[in-house]
Amino acid sequence: MAAGLTQAEAAERLAWLAEAIARHDRLYHDQDEPEISDSDYDALVRENAALEAQFPKLVRADSPSRRLGAAPTSALAKVAHARPMLSLENAFSAEAVAEFVARIRRFLSLSPDEQVAVTAEPKIDGLSCSLRYEGGELVLAATRGDGSVGEDVTANARTIGDIPQRIAGAPDVLELRGEVYMSKVDFAALNERQQAAGGKIFANPRNAAAGSLRQKDPGVTAARPLRFLAHGWGELSAPLAATQLEAMQAIARLGLPVSDLFKRCCGFDEMLDHYAAIETCRADLPYDIDGVVYKVDRLDWQERLGQVARAPRWGLAHKFPAEKAETTLEAIDIQVGRTGKMTPVGRLKPVGVGGVIVANVTLHNRDEIARLGLRVGDRIRIQRAGDVIPQVIENLTAKEKRPAYLFPDHCPECGSEAVSTEGEVDVRCTGGLVCPAQRIERLKHFVSRGALDIDGLGEKTIVEFAELGWLQSPADIFRLHRHRAELLQREGWKEKSVDNLLASIEARREPDPARFLFALGIRHVGIVTAKDLMRAFGTVEALRNAATGDSAQAELSCVEGVGPVVAEALVDFFHEPHNREVLDDLLSKVRPQPFVSQARQTEWSGKTIVFTGSLETMSRDEAKAQAERLGARAAGSVSAKTDLVVAGPGAGSKLKKAAELKVPVIGEDEWARIVAEAG
Ligand code: IVH
């Protein structure tokens, strides 16, 4: 935790924390793609709370401590986007950019002589906003929010000079998307004014833009110098053009600002040249940018490429290199996770890196400490890329003659022996449920937001109840009501808080089955895998039967998204008698709901399709993605469960098998017709 910060440093840190926590909330809650562990997340929340306690005047309107309670995020109305607002996959190297181009070629099955034109433009560090025009009139402006639902900021957007209220010659429905930002000069002047008036100091132009746009009072927004730059579109009643370049030119002709560094590149070399050109003029640009965005130029190709999770396959953010700084490693602490994994955390002399104060770094594992030769007292170089937890990249005093750091061979929490399994880098505490840290971490995971999401059962409460002997295993949560009277006697608990807690527990008696499975904390089973498993098996009981059956490995591994590692983890978990007891106990208290698929409902929903032979107009991946968009599953081999085989030239044994099993077989043309009709 950052100790001894000045007021300005604390303000900066709080701004960063507010943004980072909100982002991790979105990743965890809305996108099911957490980037950090629950304990790292909790560390951020705790750091925020401690800083706020130290500097009560600096508590922000958008502070996570306000949001994490029951209070609504903001008073702005929520609006659903007509088309989702996607995010972009990040790349940090030329190799990753090459892979992006190669992946596109593979997906589209392009012949080697076919060029892939890609546009390149700066990635503005602002906040994205969707502007909806109907009959040429601005009718709605919305922030991105979670991508599906944003906040209505129409009145505020009307105060921004770059955003036209009316557009002559616009299609009937025209949604323009772009970045609301504040220029560097305007940001500095705003902070000076804020300081003079005793108002809030913003950490960076991005925060200033976000804080200014997301105001209840448009008068406040009007007084802030916000700008807008268009970079794309959402719903349209008529297409703007056939390529990204022409569409952006059309948007410029409609009167919206677009980047003058926008360029259509032919191939990888030109993309990298333009990246370098933009990086060279980065410091001279009037606004902050954090990379370059590439987009496939042909819009019909964009359409075919579609999206994975929440990012399009046709776009990529090529980020600029991480910011670096030097400081001293003051201590190495060991955190024990829910599976007993012992993670070393470096405590630093706080240092500013690219505008934020960093006081902790992850040291990953024992091998990483050894690789860097790290010891307490070393001078180190750290780096921070985007919002990712900072890392040590170099030990500047590795050559100094001091004894090496000894990684503990016993758990610092319970004293049990710590071991590492052959071939694994992690050291684990062998204490199992004896280890209070593991027990607490498991319970924390069970009630966490992506899992059962039980409000009011935070870490402090879990520790308190565990110490009282009320909480050992997750099922005990559903027995807490028995302790109501005792709890009311305890300090800090009132009738209302006790009832609220018990009510939020009761509300989880019939949990979503994927969340329930994820909550069990089986190694390698994240929420996405849990969903895949529930889609395949329907219930946890069915999964357990499969995992304890004779052909468990085979049956589990044929589930889409499940490989041998996950299959083995499931088999191990369900074989362990203690886990079975915990699960039985739990299932006597809660009844998970049947799995409901969120894929589109079409006549192909739930059907299994096999693609075989060489497909000529698309790659296997594209065909698979098309099947998934129809709610179907693409399998690798033909069995009695196959509903349809799509065969291209050269299809062999699978075709024979399909004939034997009387599975209908169609060609690629027929498949294209099905996709077109369903789409
Ligand atoms: S394209 C699906 N172009 O970056 C396409 N985004 O990391 C998504 N951004 O949410 C948007 N500059 O807020 C695009 N030139 C640019 C951009 C840009 C900044 C932001 C945008 C988006 C985020 C994704």
Side-chain angles (χ1 to χ4, degrees):
M1 186 166 307
L5 297 190
T6 65
Q7 178 133 335
E9 287 169 340
E12 257 183 30
R13 183 68 184 158
L14 284 167
W16 184 84
L17 284 164
E19 209 194 321
I21 292 169
R23 183 168 158 275
H24 290 306
D25 282 341
R26 285 194 304 276
L27 285 169
Y28 197 99
H29 224 27
D30 302 318
Q31 292 168 232
D32 288 339
E33 280 172 357
E35 269 174 14
I36 58 173
S37 68
D38 276 8
S39 56
D40 286 341
Y41 172 87
D42 289 344
L44 293 178
V45 173
R46 276 200 300 272
E47 186 187 349
N48 188 73
L51 269 179
E52 287 185 346
Q54 207 183 334
F55 299 99
K57 283 211 193 97
L58 295 182
V59 176
R60 302 164 56 90
D62 63 348
S63 163
S65 61
R66 297 189 177 190
R67 203 159 21 82
L68 295 175
T73 319
S74 80
L76 295 167
K78 300 268 191 262
V79 272
H81 297 300
R83 293 276 148 79
M85 288 183 80
L86 301 177
S87 59
L88 289 166
E89 188 190 322
N90 289 329
F92 292 92
S93 67
E95 291 75 51
V97 177
E99 174 50 28
F100 166 70
V101 178
R103 206 163 58 210
I104 289 164
R105 301 198 74 94
R106 279 200 303 274
F107 193 93
L108 297 173
S109 242
L110 299 183
S111 63
D113 52 344
E114 195 142 21
Q115 278 274 4
V116 180
V118 171
T119 64
E121 69 200 88
K123 185 169 192 297
I124 318 284
D125 209 1
L127 76 154
S128 54
C129 188
S130 186
L131 308 173
R132 186 176 174 94
Y133 292 86
E134 288 178 6
E137 295 278 335
L138 176 65
V139 292
L140 179 70
T143 61
R144 179 169 182 274
D146 66 2
S148 308
V149 176
E151 285 169 327
D152 184 342
V153 289
T154 315
N156 306 352
R158 288 193 197 285
T159 70
I160 300 176
D162 285 337
I163 297 180
Q165 308 292 318
R166 275 201 192 91
I167 298 184
D172 234 17
V173 175
L174 168 70
E175 262 184 25
L176 295 176
R177 290 178 175 173
E179 217 67 6
V180 169
Y181 68 95
M182 195 177 283
S183 76
K184 295 180 201 170
V185 173
D186 287 339
F187 163 71
L190 170 67
N191 261 359
E192 264 176 38
R193 289 200 301 276
Q194 293 286 102
Q195 180 130 36
K200 177 156 81 182
I201 304 294
F202 295 102
N204 52 46
R206 199 195 114 80
N207 280 8
S212 304
L213 184 65
R214 297 178 64 253
Q215 286 285 339
K216 268 189 292 174
D217 176 4
V220 177
T221 311
R224 302 272 173 84
L226 291 177
R227 310 287 313 257
F228 181 81
L229 202 71
H231 54 56
W233 57 90
E235 193 182 4
L236 298 172
S237 54
L240 290 167
T243 65
Q244 185 78 26
L245 171 69
E246 288 158 12
M248 292 312 294
Q249 288 168 340
I251 291 174
R253 279 197 302 275
L254 292 172
L256 279 112
V258 300
S259 173
D260 47 10
L261 290 167
F262 185 96
K263 186 172 179 224
R264 180 177 184 275
C265 305
C266 290
F268 175 69
D269 291 343
E270 278 192 28
M271 288 162 71
L272 285 200
D273 286 349
H274 197 50
Y275 171 86
I278 293 176
E279 193 178 15
T280 308
C281 63
R282 180 181 187 185
D284 301 325
L285 290 178
Y287 42 76
D288 274 350
I289 63 172
D290 59 352
V292 170
V293 179
Y294 303 122
K295 298 169 189 168
V296 169
D297 192 41
R298 271 180 63 166
L299 300 183
D300 57 337
W301 283 359
Q302 287 193 6
E303 178 84 18
R304 278 176 61 190
L305 285 157
Q307 66 190 70
V308 204
R310 302 256 181 146
R313 285 195 189 84
W314 46 262
L316 186 74
H318 187 182
K319 298 298 235 8
F320 292 133
E323 319 246 18
K324 300 184 174 67
E326 290 177 19
T327 185
T328 305
L329 179 62
E330 292 188 328
I332 297 176
D333 286 350
I334 302 287
Q335 284 175 352
V336 183
R338 84 183 132 86
T339 57
K341 181 171 146 187
M342 295 178 21
T343 305
V345 178
R347 308 294 179 197
L348 312 180
K349 182 163 191 293
V351 61
V353 195
V356 305
I357 306 292
V358 173
N360 302 308
V361 280
T362 172
L363 300 176
H364 298 290
N365 52 49
R366 184 178 56 182
D367 289 7
E368 180 70 0
I369 295 182
R371 187 180 72 79
L372 292 159
L374 285 177
R375 296 144 308 181
V376 171
D378 276 330
R379 286 290 293 170
I380 54 175
R381 180 169 292 130
I382 62 168
Q383 78 169 23
R384 191 187 132 251
D387 275 354
V388 181
I389 297 273
Q391 310 200 331
V392 180
I393 46 169
E394 194 184 349
N395 182 355
L396 302 166
T397 46
K399 294 215 169 78
E400 279 179 12
K401 291 224 162 8
R402 276 185 291 125
Y405 170 77
L406 281 184
F407 201 90
D409 53 7
H410 284 84
C411 172
E413 299 284 342
C414 69
S416 301
E417 201 186 342
V419 297
S420 58
T421 320
E422 171 94 29
E424 274 196 22
V425 289
D426 294 326
V427 176
R428 284 172 200 279
C429 156
T430 54
L433 288 184
V434 171
C435 176
Q438 285 191 48
R439 207 165 50 219
I440 300 288
E441 289 302 322
R442 282 181 208 192
L443 288 163
K444 267 166 60 185
H445 171 74
F446 190 84
V447 303
S448 67
R449 291 157 305 137
L452 253 63
D453 190 19
I454 298 181
D455 265 355
L457 205 47
E459 180 170 8
K460 223 178 96 215
T461 311
I462 291 179
V463 172
E464 180 183 349
F465 292 175
E467 280 169 2
L468 286 164
W470 298 351
L471 261 189
Q472 298 287 338
S473 88
D476 293 335
I477 294 169
F478 297 93
R479 286 188 274 263
L480 281 173
H481 58 91
R482 298 181 188 164
H483 301 287
R484 187 173 183 279
E486 289 159 274
L487 188 52
L488 279 171
Q489 305 298 316
R490 294 189 62 83
E491 209 188 304
W493 289 95
K494 299 215 170 61
E495 187 107 6
K496 185 147 186 261
S497 52
V498 172
D499 286 346
N500 282 348
L501 171 63
L502 295 177
S504 55
I505 293 172
E506 287 314 304
R508 295 293 181 262
R509 290 263 181 195
E510 296 187 347
D512 168 80
R515 279 169 170 264
F516 179 78
L517 176 61
F518 171 59
L520 296 178
I522 303 170
R523 279 185 79 190
H524 307 298
V525 179
I527 186 68
V528 174
T529 305
K531 278 185 189 156
D532 288 342
L533 287 162
M534 285 300 97
R535 190 174 296 118
F537 290 99
T539 64
V540 176
E541 285 91 337
L543 169 66
R544 171 187 176 155
N545 288 340
T548 48
D550 289 340
S551 51
Q553 279 278 354
E555 206 179 329
L556 293 168
S557 298
C558 76
V559 173
E560 192 71 22
V562 172
V565 175
V566 175
E568 192 181 332
L570 287 163
V571 171
D572 287 352
F573 180 87
F574 288 107
H575 269 92
E576 163 67 41
H578 172 75
N579 291 335
R580 291 213 296 264
E581 268 166 42
V582 167
L583 184 58
D584 285 338
D585 191 11
L586 200 48
L587 287 174
S588 73
K589 300 281 163 226
V590 302
R591 187 153 18 122
Q593 292 294 290
F595 182 79
V596 183
S597 167
Q598 282 168 7
R600 268 177 54 203
Q601 285 298 317
T602 69
E603 62 173 307
W604 295 97
S605 298
K607 299 273 166 64
T608 301
I609 302 178
V610 173
F611 294 91
T612 178
S614 59
L615 301 177
E616 287 178 329
T617 60
M618 67 189 117
S619 67
R620 199 63 71 79
D621 279 348
E622 180 171 8
K624 234 170 108 174
Q626 288 175 339
E628 280 162 8
R629 260 180 251 152
L630 300 184
R633 204 180 137 251
S637 59
V638 178
S639 74
K641 289 188 198 145
T642 310
D643 296 293
L644 179 70
V645 171
V646 181
S653 61
K654 290 185 193 167
L655 210 50
K656 240 176 81 196
K657 185 94 185 268
E660 274 166 36
L661 295 168
K662 300 205 168 47
V663 177
V665 178
I666 61 169
E668 200 173 332
D669 296 355
E670 179 85 349
W671 171 248
R673 199 182 50 72
I674 291 177
V675 173
E677 277 174 8

